[in-house]
Amino acid sequence: MSTTQSERLRELLEPLVSSKELDLEEIEVASVGRKRVLRVVIDSDDGVDLDQIAEISREISEKLDESDAMGEGEYTLEVGSPGAERPLTEHRHYLRAVGRLAKFQLTEGGDELIARILEVDDEGVDLEVPGVKGRKPTARRLTFDEIAKARVEVEFNRKDKKEEEA
């Protein structure tokens, strides 16, 4: 049996979220002054829209009302998506980030690398490292054990996949 409140909440909510073909990415219970906040982060391969977030938020709220998982006292429920600069911590996160620019902190030497994710397999990622000062981009392969941390980078001038295919 789980011992922490987050684990109990995950056990309670994961089946509900999964039944909607969504992934329960994160659960956090935080204290903000005297109030408690339950933050639930959901995602899917196709992302999530506001209608999905509203629907699952209502269903999570009902499920929590039926249980004692949050204990006594008031709390605020916040349901959202991982955001633009999401950390890449699971294999599925890397798959969802194919075509995106990401910042990698490497395990050896703590070096950082910014590159576009081209392909993902069970062992690692194939990247395109942008060229500097007019040079052509170069290919690079990183295995997952070479990556200490990775995060999607926001691109304001990113070409849409549909534009690239046209």
Side-chain angles (χ1 to χ4, degrees):
M1 187 170 147
S2 64
T3 55
T4 69
Q5 184 177 30
S6 292
E7 288 171 341
R8 287 192 305 273
L9 287 165
R10 182 169 287 279
E11 287 174 6
L12 178 70
L13 300 178
E14 192 129 42
L16 172 64
V17 173
S18 295
S19 75
K20 303 293 180 190
E21 297 183 9
L22 299 169
D23 295 316
L24 180 57
E25 296 292 352
E26 186 180 326
I27 291 180
E28 177 191 13
V29 180
S31 294
V32 180
R34 290 183 167 180
K35 295 189 176 190
R36 293 179 303 149
V37 177
L38 171 59
R39 291 186 183 98
V40 178
V41 178
I42 59 171
D43 202 7
S44 78
D45 289 343
D46 300 322
V48 290
D49 61 32
L50 290 176
D51 290 336
Q52 288 174 300
I53 289 173
E55 178 185 339
I56 197 72
S57 182
R58 281 189 296 275
E59 293 185 29
I60 287 172
S61 181
E62 289 172 11
K63 189 79 162 172
L64 291 169
D65 289 347
E66 295 168 3
S67 77
D68 65 347
M70 284 300 293
E72 295 298 318
E74 292 183 22
Y75 65 92
T76 302
L77 172 64
E78 295 178 358
V79 179
S81 65
E85 290 187 332
R86 73 158 314 139
L88 304 173
T89 57
E90 304 280 339
H91 187 264
R92 68 178 178 267
H93 299 162
Y94 287 92
L95 289 170
R96 291 174 184 161
V98 168
R100 302 285 308 269
L101 200 63
K103 182 185 227 177
F104 299 89
Q105 184 175 353
L106 306 180
T107 54
E108 211 164 293
D111 292 338
E112 287 188 348
L113 171 69
I114 295 179
R116 189 165 311 282
I117 300 172
L118 300 178
E119 264 186 59
V120 179
D121 59 34
D122 291 340
E123 285 81 41
V125 293
D126 292 325
L127 305 171
E128 179 184 76
V129 181
V132 180
K133 295 182 182 177
R135 293 193 180 131
K136 291 185 177 182
T138 56
R140 178 146 182 202
R141 170 87 178 161
L142 288 178
T143 60
F144 288 120
D145 62 354
E146 293 176 288
I147 302 170
K149 288 195 288 189
R151 177 179 296 279
V152 170
E153 290 283 288
V154 174
E155 292 180 84
F156 293 106
N157 59 354
R158 178 177 172 224
K159 289 183 182 176
D160 189 15
K161 285 182 185 179
K162 292 175 187 158
E163 287 178 31
E164 291 175 2
E165 293 170 1

